[in-house]
Amino acid sequence: MNKLKWWLRVVGGFYLLLGVAGLGYWIAAPESYAETYAATLPSAYSGDPLAVTAVVDRDFFVMFEWIVLGVLMFIAAKDPARARFFIGAMVALELFQYAVVNVIWMTRGYTTTVPYLILHLIFGITGFVFLRQTAALSPHSA
């Protein structure tokens, strides 16, 4: 159970860090945020103000998602045995949403997604392994 507690803390901390830092940047300097994003877009989209605006607006809501998930992960870390379904949902998000979307973005020419793909795969795989290990130890898993 200790591995799951630390997994929840590390991944939850990552989400909180990204969410709070991104939201702060978005609020404090929206023009600069948009320029930064425009520089990472594939060349077909980088000159399109509507594409940049759409990505920036989407990010505003995604940052709140990360903050909520980070807080929930810290709450779940108090008793991972009772949060197994939530942990499974987070593993599924890592592997079937975040990792997949990073692969799609890579095929579309985004240049900054490789490190995030690696992190999401690490988070998803380790979360799955730790969840399986604790299921094997649990007297209620049968």
Side-chain angles (χ1 to χ4, degrees):
M1 212 50 74
N2 228 9
K3 289 179 184 178
L4 271 181
K5 281 184 182 185
W6 278 106
W7 182 84
L8 287 162
R9 291 173 185 156
V10 168
V11 178
F14 175 75
Y15 282 123
L16 279 174
L17 177 68
L18 280 182
V20 170
L23 191 60
Y25 186 33
W26 194 96
I27 290 170
E31 299 83 17
S32 179
Y33 186 90
E35 289 170 10
T36 300
Y37 234 120
T40 66
L41 287 170
S43 59
Y45 305 108
S46 61
D48 183 357
L50 183 58
V52 174
T53 300
V55 171
V56 169
D57 289 350
R58 183 231 36 209
D59 269 15
F60 181 70
F61 294 102
V62 171
M63 289 173 216
F64 283 113
E65 173 191 332
W66 291 336
I67 292 168
V68 169
L69 290 175
V71 168
L72 290 174
M73 291 179 90
F74 274 97
I75 292 168
K78 292 179 181 176
D79 189 1
R82 292 185 58 197
R84 294 179 57 74
F85 183 82
F86 173 70
I87 295 166
M90 289 305 304
V91 167
L93 276 174
E94 290 291 344
L95 296 175
F96 301 112
Q97 178 185 347
Y98 297 135
V100 170
V101 109
N102 279 269
V103 170
I104 291 168
W105 287 347
M106 284 171 36
T107 64
R108 293 194 175 159
Y110 285 85
T111 59
T112 58
T113 58
V114 174
Y116 290 104
L117 173 62
I118 292 167
L119 276 176
H120 290 305
L121 288 172
I122 290 169
F123 290 163
I125 292 167
T126 56
F128 177 78
V129 168
F130 296 159
L131 194 57
R132 297 279 299 166
Q133 287 175 350
T134 57
L137 300 174
S138 172
H140 304 291
S141 63

